[in-house]
Amino acid sequence: MKNILILISLSVILLSGCSNDKQKSDAYGNFEATETIVSSESSGKLYELNVEEGQVIDANKIVGYIDTSQLYLKKLQLAQQKNTTRTKFKNVSSQISVLQEQRRVAVRERDRVERLLKDNAATGKQLDDINGNIDVINKQISSIDIQNTTTNEELKGLDVQIQQVIDQLQKSNITNPVKGTVILKFAEQGEIVSFGKPLYKIADISIMELRVYVSGSQLPEIKLGQKVKVLIDDGKANYKTLEGEISWISSKAEFTPKIIQTKEERVNLVYAVKVRVNNDGSLKIGMPGEIMFK
């Protein structure tokens, strides 16, 4: 009889301990990480994509490229068009030089006729003809100057188009934007991709965030930067304890999500809280977790 009482007492203590373990957590939630979807910035055949799910990739690393044949040919075409326009620019400049020389000759002739006219050795008509010729030359120079300006603007426009093609060529390289682990891969080498098509999803899981929900009565117990205990499942009945830090507290209340448990079963409004946790390799996106305020 005495042994039976001892067994019953031990059972009560163990059940009480389990109950306390279940009640010791102050909030519950799931782990999340900032995910980045890397999309195509160009259209064409995907010649290379060196990413695999689970692979860790450094930031600014080129992981593939899209066919650039058409862009390269367009760049050559624009370069040739620029050379042709530059030749036209030189021809226009040569015409202006010829007309300027003609104007210098005409001005010297006008000066000579003006001296002869003072000595009554020339007529007023001769002077008028020369002045008229100078006016025509000036108008021709002005007209060619306008052509010269137009040609110069064409050259600037071609330079802009060439820079646009160079930018498109650079965007044909697939550059990984952030250091992280590849979560999902959406495209394969050899596929035809269009601008904006998702290629893969990557996330930095070295630091995870546990989003939990607390009631209004729990808010006075927490503050930004506060250290908390983070509990995750470790086997069927055990917990693994990690240290976390509160990095964000929502300023607005919201209705309790159905998938989230709270300390008070009938709480209607809760506040979202993010806890930053260094990932030792055991944390996964979407994994459940619990926190206990220190």
Side-chain angles (χ1 to χ4, degrees):
M1 186 67 180
K2 184 177 180 180
N3 291 335
I4 295 175
L5 290 174
I6 292 173
L7 290 173
I8 293 174
S9 299
L10 288 173
S11 299
V12 171
I13 291 172
L14 289 173
L15 289 173
S16 177
C18 293
S19 177
N20 288 336
D21 285 341
K22 291 181 180 178
Q23 293 179 358
K24 69 180 181 180
S25 297
D26 295 297
Y28 304 80
N30 297 87
F31 285 96
E32 58 185 34
T34 301
E35 299 178 352
T36 301
I37 296 178
V38 181
S39 301
S40 171
E41 296 184 82
S42 183
S43 298
K45 186 176 182 179
L46 186 58
Y47 269 164
E48 191 174 311
L49 184 61
N50 299 318
V51 299
E52 296 297 335
E53 294 179 2
Q55 179 183 359
V56 178
I57 307 176
D58 291 329
N60 301 318
K61 180 180 179 181
I62 296 178
V63 296
Y65 65 94
I66 297 170
D67 179 25
T68 59
S69 301
Q70 295 301 317
L71 290 173
Y72 178 72
L73 292 174
K74 185 176 181 180
K75 182 182 176 183
L76 291 180
Q77 179 186 7
L78 290 171
Q80 183 61 40
Q81 189 174 345
K82 183 179 178 180
N83 289 333
T84 303
T85 305
R86 189 182 288 113
T87 301
K88 188 190 335 183
F89 182 80
K90 292 179 180 178
N91 291 337
V92 170
S93 299
S94 298
Q95 292 178 30
I96 291 177
S97 297
V98 171
L99 290 171
Q100 288 174 339
E101 181 60 28
Q102 291 179 358
R103 183 174 60 186
R104 282 194 292 271
V105 172
V107 168
R108 286 198 299 270
E109 181 65 17
R110 182 191 62 189
D111 295 340
R112 189 181 69 83
V113 170
E114 285 178 346
R115 290 194 297 271
L116 292 174
L117 187 60
K118 291 179 181 179
D119 297 333
N120 294 322
T123 63
K125 183 178 182 305
Q126 289 178 304
L127 182 61
D128 291 340
D129 290 342
I130 294 174
N131 285 330
N133 187 33
I134 292 174
D135 288 340
V136 170
I137 292 173
N138 285 333
K139 290 179 180 178
Q140 288 176 338
I141 291 174
S142 297
S143 176
I144 294 177
D145 271 335
I146 294 174
Q147 296 179 26
N148 203 18
T149 301
T150 303
T151 304
N152 194 35
E153 291 300 321
E154 288 180 11
L155 287 172
K156 291 180 180 178
L158 289 172
D159 285 334
V160 172
Q161 291 182 55
I162 290 174
Q163 289 302 316
Q164 288 176 337
V165 173
I166 291 174
D167 180 65
Q168 291 175 343
L169 284 169
Q170 291 174 345
K171 289 180 177 179
S172 295
N173 291 323
I174 303 167
T175 304
N176 185 56
V178 295
K179 181 178 180 179
T181 303
V182 178
I183 306 300
L184 286 173
K185 186 177 180 182
F186 302 116
E188 295 293 340
Q189 181 175 324
E191 292 184 7
I192 303 298
V193 297
S194 58
F195 179 84
K197 174 181 172 58
L199 302 177
Y200 63 94
K201 182 189 294 185
I202 190 168
D204 181 7
I205 59 176
S206 61
I207 298 179
M208 303 283 285
E209 286 186 327
L210 176 62
R211 180 188 287 267
V212 298
Y213 294 86
V214 300
S215 63
S217 61
Q218 291 175 297
L219 278 181
E221 301 180 48
I222 62 174
K223 62 181 179 180
L224 291 177
Q226 178 180 336
K227 303 294 183 182
V228 297
K229 285 185 179 180
V230 178
L231 306 176
I232 59 174
D233 293 335
D234 187 14
K236 291 184 178 180
N238 297 324
Y239 288 99
K240 181 177 180 179
T241 303
L242 301 171
E243 184 177 71
E245 179 181 322
I246 296 177
S247 59
W248 175 77
I249 301 173
S250 176
S251 59
K252 295 182 180 179
E254 56 186 282
F255 288 104
T256 308
K258 293 181 180 180
I259 61 172
I260 300 299
Q261 304 176 44
T262 56
K263 188 175 181 182
E264 296 84 358
E265 294 180 358
R266 295 185 179 181
V267 172
N268 290 324
L269 292 176
V270 292
Y271 293 82
V273 175
K274 287 184 180 181
V275 178
R276 185 179 291 115
V277 185
N278 289 325
N279 189 1
D280 61 357
S282 59
L283 303 180
K284 305 293 186 291
I285 295 175
M287 181 177 176
E290 308 172 14
I291 66 169
M292 185 173 67
F293 304 143
K294 290 186 179 181

